Amino acid sequence: MRQNDKALLTRLKEHGVEFVIIGGVCGVLHGLPLVTLVLAVSCPFSAENLRRIEASVRDLHPYHRLAANKLPLELTDSLISRLKNLYLSTDLGILDCLSEVAGIGNYPDVLKCSVPQKTTYGEFRILSMDALIAAKEAAGRDRDHYALKLIRAIKERSSGS
């Protein structure tokens, strides 16, 4: 995993953000030999949690990466009430925050499908291997099909089948 992803995860944790690691970084933590340039997390989109995300990246020049004019991250009460996802670019890389995950559901469903993962830089919750498979199947992108082959091979090897 990239050092920048570790630094972003550490910042989220230090600021008390509630989240579960999903996507490619989750796959890497399960042992996938992939490189991912996006740190994706699922989290509750409460005002409190979104403000914690904002605080965790404030000094990293965050901006909305999908906005044509690279709008800086400035959360207002009005914006918070409308947000479902937050796609950010920061000095440490890309951070995508999702309120729902395809194939799993909203954050409480994601949390139920997560497992603790200890790392050298902290303990985090990640999608279980079965939940990661469900999410990748639902997303259905070419890169997800490739990742699914690897995830299933790892799962088969770890179960001794």
Side-chain angles (χ1 to χ4, degrees), residues 27 30 32 34 129-130 132-133 136 144 146-156:
H30 277 298
L32 288 181
L34 297 176
M129 197 168 284
D130 288 335
L132 182 59
I133 289 170
K136 293 288 185 189
D144 295 314
Y146 176 70
L148 277 167
K149 290 178 187 177
L150 297 174
I151 296 166
R152 289 184 176 120
I154 289 170
K155 183 178 176 186
E156 186 175 307

PDB file of all heavy atoms in Angstrom, residues 27 30 32 34 129-130 132-133 136 144 146-156:
ATOM      1  N   GLY A  27      -8.787  -4.477  -0.795  1.00  0.00           N
ATOM      2  CA  GLY A  27      -8.239  -5.655  -1.474  1.00  0.00           C
ATOM      3  C   GLY A  27      -6.775  -5.870  -1.148  1.00  0.00           C
ATOM      4  O   GLY A  27      -6.344  -6.992  -0.873  1.00  0.00           O
ATOM      5  N   HIS A  30      -6.317  -7.377   2.104  1.00  0.00           N
ATOM      6  CA  HIS A  30      -6.654  -8.805   2.071  1.00  0.00           C
ATOM      7  C   HIS A  30      -5.580  -9.619   1.340  1.00  0.00           C
ATOM      8  O   HIS A  30      -5.677 -10.839   1.280  1.00  0.00           O
ATOM      9  CB  HIS A  30      -8.002  -9.033   1.391  1.00  0.00           C
ATOM     10  CG  HIS A  30      -9.185  -8.850   2.281  1.00  0.00           C
ATOM     11  ND1 HIS A  30      -9.408  -9.633   3.396  1.00  0.00           N
ATOM     12  CD2 HIS A  30     -10.215  -7.965   2.230  1.00  0.00           C
ATOM     13  CE1 HIS A  30     -10.534  -9.253   3.982  1.00  0.00           C
ATOM     14  NE2 HIS A  30     -11.037  -8.235   3.307  1.00  0.00           N
ATOM     15  N   LEU A  32      -4.300  -8.738  -1.990  1.00  0.00           N
ATOM     16  CA  LEU A  32      -4.274  -8.598  -3.444  1.00  0.00           C
ATOM     17  C   LEU A  32      -2.998  -7.889  -3.885  1.00  0.00           C
ATOM     18  O   LEU A  32      -2.645  -6.857  -3.324  1.00  0.00           O
ATOM     19  CB  LEU A  32      -5.469  -7.792  -3.949  1.00  0.00           C
ATOM     20  CG  LEU A  32      -6.819  -8.456  -3.911  1.00  0.00           C
ATOM     21  CD1 LEU A  32      -7.882  -7.516  -4.461  1.00  0.00           C
ATOM     22  CD2 LEU A  32      -6.817  -9.733  -4.712  1.00  0.00           C
ATOM     23  N   LEU A  34      -2.201  -5.684  -6.043  1.00  0.00           N
ATOM     24  CA  LEU A  34      -2.641  -4.623  -6.946  1.00  0.00           C
ATOM     25  C   LEU A  34      -2.129  -3.279  -6.468  1.00  0.00           C
ATOM     26  O   LEU A  34      -1.861  -3.088  -5.288  1.00  0.00           O
ATOM     27  CB  LEU A  34      -4.175  -4.557  -6.997  1.00  0.00           C
ATOM     28  CG  LEU A  34      -4.920  -5.770  -7.532  1.00  0.00           C
ATOM     29  CD1 LEU A  34      -6.424  -5.554  -7.410  1.00  0.00           C
ATOM     30  CD2 LEU A  34      -4.544  -6.029  -8.983  1.00  0.00           C
ATOM     31  N   MET A 129     -13.904 -10.346   3.083  1.00  0.00           N
ATOM     32  CA  MET A 129     -13.620 -10.806   1.730  1.00  0.00           C
ATOM     33  C   MET A 129     -14.911 -11.066   0.949  1.00  0.00           C
ATOM     34  O   MET A 129     -15.021 -10.693  -0.220  1.00  0.00           O
ATOM     35  CB  MET A 129     -12.735 -12.057   1.770  1.00  0.00           C
ATOM     36  CG  MET A 129     -12.091 -12.324   0.425  1.00  0.00           C
ATOM     37  SD  MET A 129     -10.789 -13.544   0.501  1.00  0.00           S
ATOM     38  CE  MET A 129      -9.483 -12.595   1.237  1.00  0.00           C
ATOM     39  N   ASP A 130     -15.904 -11.666   1.600  1.00  0.00           N
ATOM     40  CA  ASP A 130     -17.182 -11.919   0.919  1.00  0.00           C
ATOM     41  C   ASP A 130     -17.869 -10.617   0.532  1.00  0.00           C
ATOM     42  O   ASP A 130     -18.452 -10.501  -0.547  1.00  0.00           O
ATOM     43  CB  ASP A 130     -18.110 -12.764   1.796  1.00  0.00           C
ATOM     44  CG  ASP A 130     -17.654 -14.213   1.906  1.00  0.00           C
ATOM     45  OD1 ASP A 130     -16.944 -14.696   0.979  1.00  0.00           O
ATOM     46  OD2 ASP A 130     -17.996 -14.865   2.909  1.00  0.00           O
ATOM     47  N   LEU A 132     -16.360  -7.737  -0.025  1.00  0.00           N
ATOM     48  CA  LEU A 132     -15.567  -7.142  -1.102  1.00  0.00           C
ATOM     49  C   LEU A 132     -15.930  -7.789  -2.433  1.00  0.00           C
ATOM     50  O   LEU A 132     -16.071  -7.108  -3.446  1.00  0.00           O
ATOM     51  CB  LEU A 132     -14.074  -7.285  -0.804  1.00  0.00           C
ATOM     52  CG  LEU A 132     -13.117  -6.670  -1.820  1.00  0.00           C
ATOM     53  CD1 LEU A 132     -13.362  -5.169  -1.967  1.00  0.00           C
ATOM     54  CD2 LEU A 132     -11.674  -6.944  -1.421  1.00  0.00           C
ATOM     55  N   ILE A 133     -16.112  -9.099  -2.425  1.00  0.00           N
ATOM     56  CA  ILE A 133     -16.535  -9.805  -3.640  1.00  0.00           C
ATOM     57  C   ILE A 133     -17.896  -9.281  -4.110  1.00  0.00           C
ATOM     58  O   ILE A 133     -18.086  -8.977  -5.295  1.00  0.00           O
ATOM     59  CB  ILE A 133     -16.571 -11.333  -3.404  1.00  0.00           C
ATOM     60  CG1 ILE A 133     -15.140 -11.861  -3.277  1.00  0.00           C
ATOM     61  CG2 ILE A 133     -17.325 -12.049  -4.531  1.00  0.00           C
ATOM     62  CD1 ILE A 133     -15.039 -13.305  -2.794  1.00  0.00           C
ATOM     63  N   LYS A 136     -17.454  -5.761  -5.600  1.00  0.00           N
ATOM     64  CA  LYS A 136     -16.781  -5.791  -6.904  1.00  0.00           C
ATOM     65  C   LYS A 136     -17.708  -6.357  -7.975  1.00  0.00           C
ATOM     66  O   LYS A 136     -17.729  -5.870  -9.109  1.00  0.00           O
ATOM     67  CB  LYS A 136     -15.482  -6.609  -6.833  1.00  0.00           C
ATOM     68  CG  LYS A 136     -14.405  -6.001  -5.969  1.00  0.00           C
ATOM     69  CD  LYS A 136     -13.812  -4.796  -6.633  1.00  0.00           C
ATOM     70  CE  LYS A 136     -12.638  -4.221  -5.861  1.00  0.00           C
ATOM     71  NZ  LYS A 136     -12.209  -2.937  -6.410  1.00  0.00           N
ATOM     72  N   ASP A 144     -12.607  -4.467 -11.876  1.00  0.00           N
ATOM     73  CA  ASP A 144     -13.233  -5.269 -10.823  1.00  0.00           C
ATOM     74  C   ASP A 144     -13.261  -6.747 -11.209  1.00  0.00           C
ATOM     75  O   ASP A 144     -13.078  -7.609 -10.354  1.00  0.00           O
ATOM     76  CB  ASP A 144     -14.652  -4.767 -10.532  1.00  0.00           C
ATOM     77  CG  ASP A 144     -14.642  -3.367  -9.950  1.00  0.00           C
ATOM     78  OD1 ASP A 144     -13.840  -3.113  -9.032  1.00  0.00           O
ATOM     79  OD2 ASP A 144     -15.424  -2.527 -10.425  1.00  0.00           O
ATOM     80  N   TYR A 146     -11.050  -8.305 -12.987  1.00  0.00           N
ATOM     81  CA  TYR A 146      -9.691  -8.800 -12.762  1.00  0.00           C
ATOM     82  C   TYR A 146      -9.446  -9.002 -11.264  1.00  0.00           C
ATOM     83  O   TYR A 146      -8.936 -10.047 -10.842  1.00  0.00           O
ATOM     84  CB  TYR A 146      -8.675  -7.811 -13.342  1.00  0.00           C
ATOM     85  CG  TYR A 146      -7.246  -8.205 -13.076  1.00  0.00           C
ATOM     86  CD1 TYR A 146      -6.687  -9.319 -13.713  1.00  0.00           C
ATOM     87  CD2 TYR A 146      -6.460  -7.499 -12.173  1.00  0.00           C
ATOM     88  CE1 TYR A 146      -5.378  -9.702 -13.458  1.00  0.00           C
ATOM     89  CE2 TYR A 146      -5.162  -7.873 -11.912  1.00  0.00           C
ATOM     90  CZ  TYR A 146      -4.628  -8.972 -12.558  1.00  0.00           C
ATOM     91  OH  TYR A 146      -3.339  -9.352 -12.294  1.00  0.00           O
ATOM     92  N   ALA A 147      -9.831  -8.025 -10.467  1.00  0.00           N
ATOM     93  CA  ALA A 147      -9.644  -8.126  -9.019  1.00  0.00           C
ATOM     94  C   ALA A 147     -10.429  -9.311  -8.454  1.00  0.00           C
ATOM     95  O   ALA A 147      -9.944 -10.006  -7.549  1.00  0.00           O
ATOM     96  CB  ALA A 147     -10.058  -6.826  -8.329  1.00  0.00           C
ATOM     97  N   LEU A 148     -11.629  -9.559  -8.978  1.00  0.00           N
ATOM     98  CA  LEU A 148     -12.441 -10.682  -8.497  1.00  0.00           C
ATOM     99  C   LEU A 148     -11.731 -12.018  -8.667  1.00  0.00           C
ATOM    100  O   LEU A 148     -11.800 -12.879  -7.785  1.00  0.00           O
ATOM    101  CB  LEU A 148     -13.796 -10.708  -9.214  1.00  0.00           C
ATOM    102  CG  LEU A 148     -14.849  -9.780  -8.635  1.00  0.00           C
ATOM    103  CD1 LEU A 148     -16.020  -9.635  -9.595  1.00  0.00           C
ATOM    104  CD2 LEU A 148     -15.315 -10.287  -7.284  1.00  0.00           C
ATOM    105  N   LYS A 149     -11.065 -12.195  -9.788  1.00  0.00           N
ATOM    106  CA  LYS A 149     -10.306 -13.445 -10.004  1.00  0.00           C
ATOM    107  C   LYS A 149      -9.252 -13.621  -8.912  1.00  0.00           C
ATOM    108  O   LYS A 149      -9.089 -14.709  -8.362  1.00  0.00           O
ATOM    109  CB  LYS A 149      -9.634 -13.428 -11.379  1.00  0.00           C
ATOM    110  CG  LYS A 149     -10.594 -13.533 -12.536  1.00  0.00           C
ATOM    111  CD  LYS A 149      -9.847 -13.460 -13.847  1.00  0.00           C
ATOM    112  CE  LYS A 149     -10.827 -13.403 -14.996  1.00  0.00           C
ATOM    113  NZ  LYS A 149     -10.171 -13.261 -16.294  1.00  0.00           N
ATOM    114  N   LEU A 150      -8.556 -12.538  -8.604  1.00  0.00           N
ATOM    115  CA  LEU A 150      -7.505 -12.609  -7.588  1.00  0.00           C
ATOM    116  C   LEU A 150      -8.092 -12.815  -6.189  1.00  0.00           C
ATOM    117  O   LEU A 150      -7.576 -13.618  -5.407  1.00  0.00           O
ATOM    118  CB  LEU A 150      -6.672 -11.329  -7.620  1.00  0.00           C
ATOM    119  CG  LEU A 150      -5.894 -11.056  -8.909  1.00  0.00           C
ATOM    120  CD1 LEU A 150      -5.249  -9.686  -8.852  1.00  0.00           C
ATOM    121  CD2 LEU A 150      -4.862 -12.130  -9.164  1.00  0.00           C
ATOM    122  N   ILE A 151      -9.162 -12.101  -5.877  1.00  0.00           N
ATOM    123  CA  ILE A 151      -9.792 -12.227  -4.558  1.00  0.00           C
ATOM    124  C   ILE A 151     -10.279 -13.656  -4.343  1.00  0.00           C
ATOM    125  O   ILE A 151     -10.072 -14.249  -3.283  1.00  0.00           O
ATOM    126  CB  ILE A 151     -10.980 -11.254  -4.412  1.00  0.00           C
ATOM    127  CG1 ILE A 151     -10.496  -9.815  -4.470  1.00  0.00           C
ATOM    128  CG2 ILE A 151     -11.736 -11.499  -3.109  1.00  0.00           C
ATOM    129  CD1 ILE A 151     -11.627  -8.803  -4.677  1.00  0.00           C
ATOM    130  N   ARG A 152     -10.921 -14.215  -5.359  1.00  0.00           N
ATOM    131  CA  ARG A 152     -11.436 -15.587  -5.233  1.00  0.00           C
ATOM    132  C   ARG A 152     -10.302 -16.586  -5.067  1.00  0.00           C
ATOM    133  O   ARG A 152     -10.428 -17.558  -4.317  1.00  0.00           O
ATOM    134  CB  ARG A 152     -12.317 -15.922  -6.428  1.00  0.00           C
ATOM    135  CG  ARG A 152     -13.639 -15.182  -6.391  1.00  0.00           C
ATOM    136  CD  ARG A 152     -14.557 -15.597  -7.533  1.00  0.00           C
ATOM    137  NE  ARG A 152     -15.838 -14.942  -7.421  1.00  0.00           N
ATOM    138  CZ  ARG A 152     -16.352 -14.140  -8.336  1.00  0.00           C
ATOM    139  NH1 ARG A 152     -15.694 -13.889  -9.465  1.00  0.00           N
ATOM    140  NH2 ARG A 152     -17.525 -13.585  -8.155  1.00  0.00           N
ATOM    141  N   ALA A 153      -9.189 -16.363  -5.756  1.00  0.00           N
ATOM    142  CA  ALA A 153      -8.034 -17.259  -5.618  1.00  0.00           C
ATOM    143  C   ALA A 153      -7.464 -17.180  -4.197  1.00  0.00           C
ATOM    144  O   ALA A 153      -7.133 -18.205  -3.592  1.00  0.00           O
ATOM    145  CB  ALA A 153      -6.965 -16.897  -6.644  1.00  0.00           C
ATOM    146  N   ILE A 154      -7.377 -15.976  -3.653  1.00  0.00           N
ATOM    147  CA  ILE A 154      -6.874 -15.806  -2.283  1.00  0.00           C
ATOM    148  C   ILE A 154      -7.835 -16.469  -1.298  1.00  0.00           C
ATOM    149  O   ILE A 154      -7.413 -17.158  -0.375  1.00  0.00           O
ATOM    150  CB  ILE A 154      -6.665 -14.318  -1.955  1.00  0.00           C
ATOM    151  CG1 ILE A 154      -5.470 -13.774  -2.735  1.00  0.00           C
ATOM    152  CG2 ILE A 154      -6.479 -14.101  -0.462  1.00  0.00           C
ATOM    153  CD1 ILE A 154      -5.312 -12.275  -2.667  1.00  0.00           C
ATOM    154  N   LYS A 155      -9.106 -16.250  -1.501  1.00  0.00           N
ATOM    155  CA  LYS A 155     -10.107 -16.843  -0.606  1.00  0.00           C
ATOM    156  C   LYS A 155     -10.035 -18.371  -0.652  1.00  0.00           C
ATOM    157  O   LYS A 155     -10.068 -19.042   0.380  1.00  0.00           O
ATOM    158  CB  LYS A 155     -11.517 -16.384  -0.990  1.00  0.00           C
ATOM    159  CG  LYS A 155     -12.585 -16.914  -0.067  1.00  0.00           C
ATOM    160  CD  LYS A 155     -13.950 -16.410  -0.444  1.00  0.00           C
ATOM    161  CE  LYS A 155     -14.962 -17.078   0.494  1.00  0.00           C
ATOM    162  NZ  LYS A 155     -16.327 -16.776   0.145  1.00  0.00           N
ATOM    163  N   GLU A 156      -9.908 -18.923  -1.841  1.00  0.00           N
ATOM    164  CA  GLU A 156      -9.810 -20.381  -1.993  1.00  0.00           C
ATOM    165  C   GLU A 156      -8.560 -20.918  -1.306  1.00  0.00           C
ATOM    166  O   GLU A 156      -8.611 -21.916  -0.598  1.00  0.00           O
ATOM    167  CB  GLU A 156      -9.790 -20.744  -3.481  1.00  0.00           C
ATOM    168  CG  GLU A 156      -9.838 -22.223  -3.763  1.00  0.00           C
ATOM    169  CD  GLU A 156      -9.928 -22.504  -5.243  1.00  0.00           C
ATOM    170  OE1 GLU A 156     -10.819 -21.956  -5.898  1.00  0.00           O
ATOM    171  OE2 GLU A 156      -9.068 -23.276  -5.728  1.00  0.00           O
TER     172      GLU A 156
END
